[in-house]
Amino acid sequence: MRVSYGMGDVSFSLSLPEGLGISYFNQEKGLIGSLTVGLNGEERDSQEYSVLGIVKDHSPRTKKLLLDTPTASAPVSYDAAIGFQALKGMIGGSIRYYPTSLDYQLVGQEDTDYQGLLYSLFYSTNRSLTEKLSFSAMLGVEYMNQDYADAWYTVLFPTAELDAFDADAGLRDAMFSLQVSRAFSEKVEVSLLVAGNLLLADAGKSPYTVERFQPSTLIYAVYKF
């Protein structure tokens, strides 16, 4: 669910997956910028996971994989992005900040705090196929700093399932998305979004990574007041 309100070049939004944001778009200059505070954050727990506040137990396979691993938690994230119109689309970049804590379960293992950063570069484009049918596409890459690599991909203390692994800063993933939208009236629109991330370098090699390719699909509707 996402609610947004616009005033001229500035719009405000509140989204369940994305959090609270403010964006600026100047069509004459071809400039777009945004600031977002992610309220759902990120977490890797050995016993359970949460989706929009609903807590679920991991599968036995996942519990076995994460046994005796620390809980990685970044309750809030911060994102700043900027883009410029070019090449019949938008070229831009962003910085995401993840203040992350690792809480260890075993005696003798000290909890640690990290200042994780993700830098991204992307290209996106939008096209109208017919009066009511349109599509948009995006390609991008992400780079992680050393703190992010240590917090999410390093295995400092080996377990029964995971060997020790020292992840280095570097490329985290390549990403893409393709969205097709169909307008049924001036107020109602339905979209199909297909996206994916391919984990690269040490993010893909980490013992935590079971599948390097992470696909997702979303169908959603928009109502404009």
Side-chain angles (χ1 to χ4, degrees), residues 58-223:
H58 282 309
S59 67
R61 178 194 180 196
T62 302
K63 286 184 178 180
K64 182 180 179 182
L65 177 73
L66 297 179
L67 181 66
D68 294 333
T69 62
T71 296
S73 178
V76 180
S77 62
Y78 306 89
D79 179 276
I82 189 170
F84 304 89
Q85 288 184 335
L87 302 177
K88 299 183 178 180
M90 184 75 64
I91 296 176
S94 70
I95 300 176
R96 278 183 286 171
Y97 171 50
Y98 291 88
T100 307
S101 62
L102 255 61
D103 298 325
Y104 286 90
Q105 313 300 320
L106 302 181
V107 176
Q109 300 177 355
E110 295 185 2
D111 297 344
T112 311
D113 294 328
Y114 295 96
Q115 311 305 316
L117 290 171
L118 282 180
Y119 307 90
S120 68
L121 294 174
F122 63 86
Y123 170 78
S124 63
T125 185
N126 298 279
R127 293 287 185 274
S128 295
L129 301 177
T130 67
E131 184 177 343
K132 296 184 177 181
L133 189 65
S134 63
F135 84 94
S136 62
M138 184 275 296
L139 293 172
V141 292
E142 289 186 309
Y143 177 94
M144 60 184 177
N145 74 340
Q146 188 60 56
D147 269 22
Y148 191 96
D150 287 338
W152 296 98
Y153 296 107
T154 288
V155 180
L156 187 59
F157 301 101
T159 69
E161 295 293 323
L162 305 179
D163 294 330
F165 183 79
D166 185 12
D168 290 328
L171 286 176
R172 176 182 181 264
D173 63 13
M175 51 190 176
F176 78 92
S177 68
L178 177 64
Q179 177 177 304
V180 179
S181 301
R182 171 71 159 82
F184 290 91
S185 69
E186 292 183 356
K187 295 185 176 182
V188 178
E189 183 177 280
V190 175
S191 298
L192 169 65
L193 173 66
V194 178
N197 293 63
L198 178 64
L199 296 177
L200 304 173
D202 281 358
K205 299 174 184 177
S206 171
Y208 281 119
T209 301
V210 178
E211 298 289 346
R212 293 184 62 195
F213 180 60
Q214 307 283 324
S216 59
T217 305
L218 176 68
I219 298 176
Y220 66 95
V222 175
Y223 182 82

